[in-house]
């Protein structure tokens, strides 16, 4: 038995691709994208050292912001916990549809509160 809310709508998954988009390096802005180095064609699309350092700093900043947000909103941890429990319980064939249906339910907040409270009481 697979859980799905009444009136569940799951879009076609054919629009999703597992391949990364191909970025063309031709045109007037190619030197801007490549950086100011004089390396051979194998460096096309690679980040310069400065770009990589900036990317690393940005990743750290985003991770810190995400952690602060999660600490300020403990209901998100409950929501993810309930979602994972539902996935393990119902073992959906299509996890994307299941996730879409789960996170768009109109009663999501009440459902998460009820399930979280029940889980806490069961663990006592």
């Amino acid at each position: 038995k697979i859980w799905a809310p009444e009136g569940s709508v799951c879009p076609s998954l054919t629009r999703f691709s597992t391949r990364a988009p191909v970025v063309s390096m031709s045109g007037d802005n190619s030197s801007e994208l490549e950086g100011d180095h004089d390396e051979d064609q194998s460096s096309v699309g690679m980040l310069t050292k400065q770009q990589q350092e900036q990317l690393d700093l940005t990743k750290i900043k985003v991770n810190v912001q995400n952690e602060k947000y999660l600490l300020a909103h403990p209901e998100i941890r409950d929501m993810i916990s309930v979602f994972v429990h539902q996935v393990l319980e119902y073992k959906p064939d299509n996890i994307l549809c299941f996730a879409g249906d789960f996170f768009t339910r109109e009663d999501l907040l009440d459902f998460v509160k009820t399930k979280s409270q029940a889980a806490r009481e069961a663990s006592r």
Side-chain angles (χ1 to χ4, degrees):
K1 177 183 175 188
I2 296 176
W3 174 88
E6 191 172 318
S8 169
V9 177
C10 182
S12 171
L13 300 177
T14 57
R15 63 189 167 122
F16 294 104
S17 173
T18 57
R19 298 182 67 199
V22 176
V23 178
S24 172
M25 299 302 280
S26 62
D28 295 335
N29 65 348
S30 63
S31 62
E32 183 180 305
L33 293 173
E34 291 174 23
D36 294 328
H37 50 83
D38 293 339
E39 295 176 4
D40 65 347
Q41 285 293 341
S42 65
S43 68
V44 172
M46 293 178 60
L47 298 177
T48 64
K49 184 177 180 179
Q50 181 181 8
Q51 289 171 325
Q52 185 62 53
E53 289 171 357
Q54 183 61 44
L55 178 60
D56 292 342
L57 290 174
T58 301
K59 287 179 182 181
I60 292 169
K61 183 179 177 182
V62 168
N63 284 338
V64 169
Q65 290 172 338
N66 289 344
E67 188 64 29
K68 286 180 181 179
Y69 185 85
L70 290 174
L71 290 172
H73 297 279
E75 68 276 9
I76 293 177
R77 185 178 307 272
D78 289 342
M79 190 179 301
I80 293 169
S81 177
V82 170
F83 172 71
V84 170
H85 185 270
Q86 293 287 296
V87 167
L88 294 173
E89 182 178 346
Y90 292 105
K91 298 173 182 55
D93 291 331
N94 187 329
I95 190 72
L96 293 176
C97 281
F98 188 85
D101 291 339
F102 179 87
F103 288 108
T104 58
R105 344 172 17 138
E106 290 190 22
D107 66 336
L108 180 60
L109 182 59
D110 293 332
F111 182 74
V112 169
K113 284 181 181 179
T114 302
K115 291 290 187 177
S116 296
Q117 187 176 18
R120 285 186 192 100
E121 290 173 5
S123 66
R124 290 182 186 170

